Amino acid sequence: MNLSVSSYDDLSARIAAVRDAHGERFPGGAEGRQPVHTVYVPADRFSRSTPADFGAEALRLLNTHTPGAGSFGAAFGLDPELAGPVRERVAAKLAAEPVEDVRIDFEDGYGVRDDAEEDAHVEQVVEAVGAAYQVKGLPHYWGLRVKSFADGGHERAMRTLDGFLTALRDRLGRLPGGFTITFPKVTSVDHIRLFVEFLDRLETSLGLPQGILRFEVQIETPQALMDDVENRIGLQPFVTEAQGRVTAAHFGVFDYTAALGLPPHEQRLDHPACDFARHIMQVSLAGTGVRLSDGSTNIIPRNDGPDEVNAAWAAHAAHVRHSLAHGFYQGWDLHPAHLPSRYAAVYAFHLSGVDDVIGRVRAWHEQAGNASGVLDEPATITALTARLRRAVDCGALDESVLPAGD
C-alpha cells in the first residue's frame, strides 16, 4: 500500500481519544431489569403487606369485572386471539409479583407534616421494610421519595433519608438490594451536585460502600429541561454531576403541565406538551445508561361499580399504550386498579406480533434471512432482542424465547 503521508499515528491517537471520551459519556443502555412501573404509596399508609395487598385487590377487581377472556378483551380493547393468553398471564402476575417497584412517598403523596409526625412515620416505615425484607416481601426494586430541594423541603428531605437509613442499618445490619431514592422537582444542576455531596457524606457516616446510594431524578419543571447557565436544552449536565449515581429520569406530568399553564382538563399524560418533554429526555439521555420512566394517570375508580372501574381502566390503559409507543417502558401507578390495566397493556404490547419478532431474531443469529423478506440491521436486532428481554423480565413471555447467549 502506497501512502502519501508518512505517518497517521498522531491522527489515530486523537481519533481514539475522541472515541474514548464519547464512550465515557455514552456507555450504552442500562444493564439489568427495568420495572414496568413504580407504585407510589404515601409513607403513612405503607406496611409490610402493602405490595401483596395491592396485588390481592387488583386480582379481585380483575376477577370481578373481567371473569373471562371475552370481558377482559372488551375492557382493554384487545384482539380476541390475544385476550385469553394476556388475561392468563396478567392473573398469574398479580398473584405472584403484582408490584415490581415500590416507592414509599414522603413528598406530594404524603404532604407536609411537623417533624415529630414525619419522624414517627420514618420509624414506622423502617419497621415495615424490615419485616417485609425478612419474609421476602419487598419488591424487586423499592425505595423512598424524599422532599424536593427546590421548595424549602431540603432539611426535611435530608433528615428523613438520614433517619431512615440509620435506623434500617441498626435493625437489619445492611441495606437490602434494589434500593433507590427518588429526587423530585429538580430545577437546577446545582440540586444534583448538592444531593450527591449529601449522599457522599451519608455513606461515610453510615459506613456504606461509596456510591451505593443511587437515585432517580424527577423531571417535573420546564427549567429542568433547560440548562439555566449555558442555556442548553437537555439533561446531560444532570448525568455528569450525578457522578454515576443517577439510574433513571422520571417524568412528572402534573407539575410540568401546571407550570406550563395548561388548564386542569388538559393536564394529562398524552398531551403534546408532554410528548415534547419526553422527547427531550430521550434525545439527551440516549446511550447514557439512564433509564426513562413516564408519569402517572390520576384517574381511579370512585367506587366498585363496573362503569367506574372500566372507565378508569380504559383511560389508564390508553396512557400506558401511549407511553409504550413513545419508547417509555415504565410509568407510575397510584392505585391497585392501575395494576390490571398496566399489565394488560404491557403484555398485549409485547405479545402482539411476537412470533415475527422471535423469527427475525433467530433468523439473524442463524444468518438465514427471515420469512418477511426483511434484511435487518444489527441495531434493529438489538432493539428486537431488547423487546423480548423486557417481555421475559415482566412475565409476558418465558425465558425460552430468547436466543442463546441473551
Side-chain angles (χ1 to χ4, degrees), residues 274-349:
C274 297
D275 291 339
F276 174 76
R278 280 189 289 262
H279 294 160
I280 291 177
M281 292 170 66
Q282 281 179 310
V283 169
S284 59
L285 295 177
T288 63
V290 176
R291 293 185 174 125
L292 299 173
S293 174
D294 218 338
S296 63
T297 299
N298 62 355
I299 299 171
I300 62 174
R302 291 173 293 186
N303 55 56
D304 208 22
D307 291 344
E308 281 288 318
V309 172
N310 280 284
W313 277 348
H316 183 239
H319 285 163
V320 174
R321 287 191 291 268
H322 185 87
S323 300
L324 292 168
H326 285 259
F328 278 67
Y329 301 105
Q330 181 179 348
W332 304 354
D333 289 332
L334 307 177
H335 189 275
H338 288 160
L339 302 189
S341 40
R342 169 72 60 184
Y343 290 119
V346 169
Y347 284 16
F349 172 82

Side-chain angles (χ1 to χ4, degrees), residues 72-110:
F72 182 83
F76 299 110
L78 304 184
D79 186 297
E81 292 185 2
L82 272 181
V86 170
R87 190 193 186 283
E88 180 182 348
R89 287 168 172 77
V90 169
K93 180 71 170 182
L94 295 176
E97 190 192 29
V99 176
E100 295 192 354
D101 183 20
V102 69
R103 204 62 75 246
I104 303 163
D105 190 14
F106 283 95
E107 205 233 355
D108 280 353
Y110 175 76

Side-chain angles (χ1 to χ4, degrees), residues 223-302:
Q223 293 78 20
L225 297 172
M226 173 74 76
D227 186 321
D228 57 2
V229 176
E230 300 289 340
N231 276 334
R232 294 178 180 175
I233 290 179
L235 300 175
Q236 263 290 323
F238 286 9
V239 178
T240 301
E241 292 299 331
Q243 299 177 29
R245 291 186 184 270
V246 68
T247 61
H250 288 226
F251 181 57
V253 55
F254 299 106
D255 283 272
Y256 182 82
T257 52
L260 293 180
L262 298 187
H265 67 279
E266 291 291 354
Q267 293 175 14
R268 51 187 170 83
L269 198 67
D270 55 356
H271 193 282
C274 297
D275 291 339
F276 174 76
R278 280 189 289 262
H279 294 160
I280 291 177
M281 292 170 66
Q282 281 179 310
V283 169
S284 59
L285 295 177
T288 63
V290 176
R291 293 185 174 125
L292 299 173
S293 174
D294 218 338
S296 63
T297 299
N298 62 355
I299 299 171
I300 62 174
R302 291 173 293 186

